[in-house]
Every structure is written in structure tokens, then in C-alpha cells.
Amino acid sequence: DPKTVPADVEMISRDGRMVPFVVRVETGTINRGIYEIAMLNGGWNGRLIYTFGGGCEPGWYQQGNSTGGVDDDVQLRMGYAVASNSLNVLGNDCGSVVSAETMMMTKEHFIKTYGAPAFTIGWGASGGSTQQHEIAENYPGLLDGVMTGRSFADGPFASSTSSGEGRLFERYFKQAADKYTDEQVTAITGFPLEATMHNLSRVRAPRFSATEACPKELPQELRYDAVKNPKGARCDMWDHGVNVWGRDPNTGFARRPMDNVGVQYGLGALNAGKISLAQFLDINEKIGGFDVDGSMVSARMVADPIAVRAAYRTGRVNQAQGGMGLVPIIDYRTYYDDLPGGDVHMRFQSFSMDARLKKGTGTTDNRVMLLQDRRYGDFRLTSPVLREALAQMDQWLTTLSKDTSNDAAIAKIRRARPAELVDACWTKDQTPQKIVE
């Protein structure tokens, strides 16, 4: 009985009144994905958080059975409506266009059912960050604010290139094990640890293979085989996005924008005097690339020019020349660079996005970077830093929404940003100290 709640229901304060902590959850299907919408029954604050899940598994073509999550206790207590869709989890379907279209349709349903939110905050880490960046850049208006964890600028390039290179490096150094010290390996690759190279090769490089990333649910007889079944299903990330890249008329496979012709591997290490000229020449002669099936070969990769054009025209490579400069962004990162086993979530990716913003818009004033250790997990509101960041994003967007001037968007964003919200990191002490820097 909605008018008589059980005696043990917790009461929480919302807008100066006490309301039962009862959460309403709606679920259904949109764009073949499973959507979820959760909100405090009778206590919605008029704002929407849209969550995005991580991962990036190509070639699955399934709707999945999990969303980005709509049951966070902190978000619901604050009165937010929280929405997501299983096709906004890149671990279910690593297609950035599918993700954007699904978010658009799910948000449309939300508006028709509950009304237009005052603003929508994106929320998600890793693959959840790439979706936010690509949606903010290429589909302005869907997200009003972006909150990312362990971020990448985009999926097909920022996230994937280092993974593929990790595998190429791994093969080369295995063959030349006696030629390089551990310090020289990290100097050449640029990875924080040698183990990072192996982690990248194992975890994300399978995206380049036509068969390695195929799910167990796909019967063996339906899978691509160059000899036995050349028209079978291919599970690489390019064929997964064939509607974006187009098909090579000679092979029928997706065109690829992958290219490493002209890359001088280890140039920084050579110029710093950490490797010899002979070592530099050897690795660049033998590093190789991936063939059309994702197998490593001796030749470098040459991009299909039509795929390259598609990458730039459709925003698959995020240049921050679309909507990225028009929204407030908080980049929260838990530090993974020093994990003993290595990790794909390297901190340089945050600086890469900053560099793209600077080049594309001339400023990074709409983006704040926050760095913390892993004591609270990857991207969880158990972290006081992240909880404060969410409150600051709310304040930022609330103030911004009240600015009715005709000034440029970046001028409004600068004025609206809370004064205490600045680039910062926290020490690893038992009582962390904030360092503004």
C-alpha cells in the first residue's frame, strides 16, 4: 500500500521533508537492449544520472544482461533518477554508434514518461568513459555534464592502439630478450611497467583478431576461418563496426583505419641516450603489424583511406572539435599505473584527452582532473573525493543552467565552475592530503 509503508522503512530527508527511502525501478527493452530506470518514489530531484558500463568486447552482437547500474545508494539518496541500458555497457556491445543511439532512445523514453530533467550527468569508468566522451563530442545535447573514471578519449584509437602495440612489443622483445634491459623496455614502450605490455596484449589486443574475441556462445561452425569458412562471422572490432567503416570490396571485410607506417618506436629512448642506434633500428625493422585477420606479420599496417576519412568525419577519433568543449567534465582517476601485473588504464590517457581539448578548443577550462589511490576501488561513491565531485558537478550545472546571457559557452562554464573544483590529487597517507596542482 503506497499510502501505508511498513514500519521498518528508512526515512530520509529530501528538500526539507522526510520521505520513505522507497525506490521505484522500471525495466523493459529499448533498441533490443534492456533498460533500467530507478528513482526515489515521491522524491525525485528533477535531475538524471545516466550510467555507462565498461569493457569492450567486439563481435558479440548481443544485448547483454547487465546495465551500467541504477542502484547506487548515494545517488538515489540524493534524489537522482538513474537510467541505463545494457547496450550502454561496452562489455556487452563495443559499438560507439549503437551506444549513442541507445542512450538517445532511452532518454527519450524517460522524458516522455517522467518529464525532461533539468540536466543529465553521464557516469562511468573505462569503457563507460569512452562512451561519454564520444557522445559528448558527436551527439551534443544528450549529456549536460560528464563524469569519467579511468578514462580514454575514445574507443577505436585511444583505448585500442596501446593494446595492439603491447602485443607487437611483446612479440619483439620475446625474440630479442637478450638485447634489452627492463629499463630499456619501459623507455621504448612508454609503459610504466614491463608487465603493462603483457597485460595489454592479453586483455585488449584480442579485439584485433577475427576469431580470438569470439564468444563461446557463437558455434564454431559459424565462425570465420580463412580456409574452411571464409564467410563466417568475424569478431574483430572493425567488422563489429562495419556500418561505420564500410566494406573492402576485395575481401568483403570491414575497412580498417589501423596504421603504424612511419612510427619511430623508441625515438624518445634513443634521444635520451637510453638505447643505442642499433637497437632503435632493429626494433623499427622488426616491430611489424597486424594483417586483416589480426595475426601479427612482419609488415607495418597501412590504413584504408576511406576508413580514415570515416574515422574523422564521424568522430570515431575524438578530436574535441564537436561538443566536448561545450560541457563540464570531471575526470576522476584511481591510480593503476603501478599495479604489479600492469593495467590498461594508464594515467597518460587523461593527459591525452586534455591535449586534444587544448588543440581542438584552445582551452581545458571545462575539464577538471582528480587523482586518488585505489583504496575505494575504481569508481565508487564510497570515495569522499568522488562524492564531493558529484555534488560539485551538480552545483556547476545548476549555476550554468541559470546563466541566460549570450556569452560563449566556455565563458559561462568558467563562471559557473565551483571555485574549489580544481585539478588536484590526494596523498596515499592514512589521512589523505589534498594537493592542488
Side-chain angles (χ1 to χ4, degrees), residues 17 25 88 94 115 130 138 202 208 211 247 260 344 348 409:
R17 61 192 178 94
V25 180
N88 293 121
C94 193
T130 64
N138 301 313
R202 181 181 71 255
F208 296 125
T211 56
R247 292 190 184 276
N260 66 343
V344 300
F348 85 87

Coordinates of all heavy atoms in Angstrom, one line a residue, residues 17 25 88 94 115 130 138 202 208 211 247 260 344 348 409:
R17 N 11.9 17.8 3.8 CA 10.8 16.9 4.3 C 11.3 15.5 4.4 O 12.2 15.1 3.7 CB 9.5 17.0 3.4 CG 9.8 16.6 2.0 CD 8.6 17.0 1.1 NE 8.9 16.6 -0.3 CZ 8.5 15.5 -0.9 NH1 7.8 14.6 -0.2 NH2 8.8 15.3 -2.2
V25 N 11.7 1.1 -9.5 CA 12.6 0.6 -10.6 C 11.7 0.2 -11.8 O 10.8 -0.7 -11.6 CB 13.5 -0.6 -10.2 CG1 14.4 -1.0 -11.4 CG2 14.4 -0.2 -9.1
N88 N 24.5 0.1 -23.3 CA 25.5 1.2 -22.9 C 26.5 0.6 -22.0 O 27.2 1.3 -21.2 CB 24.7 2.3 -22.2 CG 23.8 3.1 -23.1 OD1 22.6 3.1 -22.8 ND2 24.4 3.6 -24.1
C94 N 30.5 -3.5 -28.0 CA 31.5 -2.4 -28.1 C 31.3 -1.6 -29.4 O 32.2 -1.5 -30.2 CB 32.9 -2.9 -28.0 SG 34.2 -1.7 -27.7
G115 N 9.1 13.3 -17.6 CA 9.4 14.7 -17.8 C 10.9 15.0 -18.1 O 11.7 14.1 -17.8
T130 N 34.7 6.2 -22.4 CA 34.8 6.4 -23.8 C 33.5 6.7 -24.4 O 33.3 7.5 -25.3 CB 35.4 5.1 -24.5 OG1 34.5 4.0 -24.4 CG2 36.8 4.8 -24.0
N138 N 30.1 13.9 -30.3 CA 29.4 13.7 -31.5 C 27.9 13.8 -31.5 O 27.2 14.0 -32.5 CB 29.7 12.3 -32.0 CG 31.2 12.1 -32.3 OD1 31.9 12.9 -32.9 ND2 31.7 11.0 -31.8
R202 N 47.3 -9.3 -23.5 CA 46.4 -10.4 -23.1 C 44.9 -9.9 -23.0 O 44.0 -10.6 -23.4 CB 46.8 -10.9 -21.7 CG 45.9 -12.0 -21.2 CD 46.4 -12.5 -19.8 NE 46.1 -11.5 -18.7 CZ 47.0 -10.7 -18.2 NH1 48.3 -10.8 -18.6 NH2 46.7 -9.8 -17.2
F208 N 41.7 -7.1 -32.1 CA 42.2 -7.0 -33.4 C 42.0 -8.3 -34.2 O 42.1 -8.3 -35.4 CB 43.6 -6.6 -33.5 CG 43.9 -5.2 -32.9 CD1 44.8 -5.1 -31.9 CD2 43.2 -4.1 -33.4 CE1 45.0 -3.8 -31.3 CE2 43.5 -2.9 -32.8 CZ 44.4 -2.7 -31.8
T211 N 39.0 -13.9 -34.8 CA 38.4 -15.1 -34.1 C 38.7 -15.1 -32.6 O 38.0 -15.7 -31.8 CB 39.0 -16.4 -34.7 OG1 40.4 -16.4 -34.7 CG2 38.5 -16.5 -36.1
R247 N 32.8 -1.7 -46.2 CA 33.5 -2.9 -46.6 C 34.5 -2.8 -47.7 O 34.3 -2.0 -48.6 CB 32.4 -3.9 -47.0 CG 31.5 -4.4 -45.9 CD 30.6 -5.6 -46.4 NE 29.7 -6.0 -45.3 CZ 30.0 -6.8 -44.3 NH1 31.2 -7.3 -44.2 NH2 29.0 -7.0 -43.4
N260 N 50.5 2.0 -38.7 CA 51.7 2.4 -38.0 C 52.9 2.6 -38.9 O 54.1 2.6 -38.5 CB 52.1 1.3 -36.9 CG 52.5 0.0 -37.5 OD1 52.2 -0.3 -38.7 ND2 53.1 -0.9 -36.7
V344 N 45.7 -1.8 -18.2 CA 45.4 -1.0 -19.4 C 45.1 0.5 -19.1 O 45.2 1.3 -20.0 CB 44.2 -1.6 -20.3 CG1 44.6 -3.0 -20.7 CG2 42.9 -1.6 -19.5
F348 N 48.3 8.4 -18.5 CA 48.6 9.3 -19.7 C 47.3 9.6 -20.5 O 47.2 10.6 -21.2 CB 49.7 8.8 -20.5 CG 49.3 7.8 -21.6 CD1 48.9 8.2 -22.8 CD2 49.3 6.4 -21.4 CE1 48.5 7.3 -23.8 CE2 48.9 5.5 -22.3 CZ 48.5 6.0 -23.6
A409 N 29.7 29.6 -24.7 CA 29.5 28.5 -23.8 C 30.7 28.4 -22.8 O 30.5 28.2 -21.6 CB 29.3 27.2 -24.6

